[in-house]
Amino acid sequence: DVKVTQSSRYLVKRTGEKVFLECVQDMDHENMFWYRQDPGLGLRLIYFSYDVKMKEKGDIPEGYSVSREKKERFSLILESASTNQTSMYLCASSPGGWQGGANVLTFGAGSRLTVL
Amino acid sequence: DQQVKQNSPSLSVQEGRISILNCDYTNSMFDYFLWYKKYPAEGPTFLISISSIKDKNEDGRFTVFLNKSAKHLSLHIVPSQPGDSAVYFCAALVSYNTDKLIFGTGTRLQVFP
C-alpha cells in the first residue's frame, strides 16, 4: 500500500525555535508538497518540489523553507517558529505527469504543531 | 482570493438520508475537480473526481455533479452512514496540473443515527 509518512504527529515548540518536519514517501513519486490546514481556510500550499533539490513556492511560503536532498524525503523547516504557525501540517506526494484523479495527491497523516 | 469555495462549514444529516455538499469555483480554467475526505488526526484521502467534459460521475454511494455554467459542483452521498462523518474538501485543477491543486475551505459532515 502506498504511503506517505510524517515522522512527528504532535509537536510543541516555543517561539523562536527552529522546527523540522520530516516527510518520507515510498512510492517513488516525483512531486512532494507541504500544506497547512487551518479551520475556515482549508488546505493551503506552502511549498512543493518536483525533483531532488528543486523547490517552488506555494501560496504561503513566508516563514518557511524546504529541503529535498533525496527523492523520497521532503522536509519543512520553520527557521524561527511563531505562534501564528500553530497549525496542522500535511505532506503529500504525487507521481510525475497525469495519471488520473485517484493519483493526484496522497497525503500523510499530518503533524500537529503548537507554538507557545 | 478564494478560487474554490465551500460556503457551508458544517452539515448535519440523519443516517440513511442524502447528504449534499456544495462547492463553487470562480476560475473558468479549472477542468478537473476532486473531493477528498478527512477524518480527525488523519490525512485527506481521495474520494471521487470529475472531468469538466462530464456532468456526473458515480462511485457507489457517492456521486459528483458538475454544472459548468454555474461554476458549481456538488457531492451527493446516498444513503449517508455514520462512518461518513468527516471533513470534505473539494479541489480543482487547471489543465491537469497537479502542482496547482486548489482546495476549498472544507465542510464538516456529521451523520447522526
Side-chain angles (χ1 to χ4, degrees):
Chain A
D1 196 15
V2 295
K3 269 195 173 173
V4 177
T5 303
Q6 295 182 232
S7 54
S8 302
R9 295 297 306 273
Y10 301 94
L11 305 92
V12 179
K13 299 292 182 181
R14 296 210 173 270
T15 302
E17 280 192 84
K18 191 168 186 176
V19 181
F20 292 89
L21 300 179
E22 304 286 342
C23 176
V24 177
Q25 51 96 1
D26 64 1
M27 299 166 281
D28 200 35
H29 280 175
E30 304 293 327
N31 304 329
M32 296 189 75
F33 305 80
W34 276 105
Y35 287 85
R36 63 178 282 177
Q37 181 199 354
D38 300 288
L41 297 176
L43 277 68
R44 294 179 293 167
L45 181 63
I46 303 171
Y47 267 98
F48 69 96
S49 168
Y50 53 88
D51 200 354
V52 174
K53 297 190 186 295
M54 305 302 288
K55 61 183 179 184
E56 292 282 345
K57 292 180 179 179
D59 299 318
I60 51 165
E62 296 79 18
Y64 303 95
S65 62
V66 290
S67 172
R68 194 170 181 198
E69 296 296 320
K70 293 184 178 181
K71 187 176 184 180
E72 67 271 19
R73 187 177 298 269
F74 192 36
S75 302
L76 180 69
I77 303 155
L78 288 67
E79 293 288 343
S80 177
S82 62
T83 55
N84 63 12
Q85 293 178 310
T86 292
S87 186
M88 168 69 83
Y89 289 89
L90 293 160
C91 176
S93 71
S94 71
W98 181 254
Q99 298 186 25
N103 291 326
V104 172
L105 286 180
T106 302
F107 282 90
S111 299
R112 168 76 62 185
L113 172 66
T114 301
V115 182
L116 302 175
Chain B
D1 180 28
Q2 193 76 30
Q3 297 187 64
V4 179
K5 302 176 186 179
Q6 295 176 256
N7 292 318
S8 298
S10 63
L11 177 67
S12 187
V13 173
Q14 188 172 29
E15 181 178 7
R17 303 269 185 147
I18 184 171
S19 295
I20 300 176
L21 292 86
N22 294 304
C23 180
D24 297 297
Y25 61 95
T26 57
N27 188 344
S28 59
M29 299 298 291
F30 288 143
D31 49 19
Y32 201 86
F33 304 89
L34 306 94
W35 285 92
Y36 282 81
K37 176 180 179 179
K38 185 181 184 302
Y39 292 118
E42 294 184 16
T45 55
F46 170 78
L47 185 60
I48 193 169
S49 62
I50 188 167
S51 165
S52 61
I53 63 174
K54 295 184 175 182
D55 55 19
K56 176 183 175 180
N57 188 28
E58 190 172 354
D59 183 3
R61 296 186 298 113
F62 303 91
T63 303
V64 57
F65 295 91
L66 175 62
N67 182 335
K68 288 188 290 296
S69 61
K71 295 191 180 65
H72 177 82
L73 67 154
S74 60
L75 174 68
H76 292 210
I77 306 173
V78 184
S80 300
Q81 299 174 354
D84 296 329
S85 298
V87 177
Y88 290 79
F89 293 98
C90 66
L93 288 173
V94 175
S95 299
Y96 305 94
N97 185 347
T98 60
D99 298 345
K100 299 294 182 185
L101 188 60
I102 307 296
F103 284 89
T105 52
T107 296
R108 182 177 300 278
L109 173 65
Q110 182 181 5
V111 180
F112 59 93

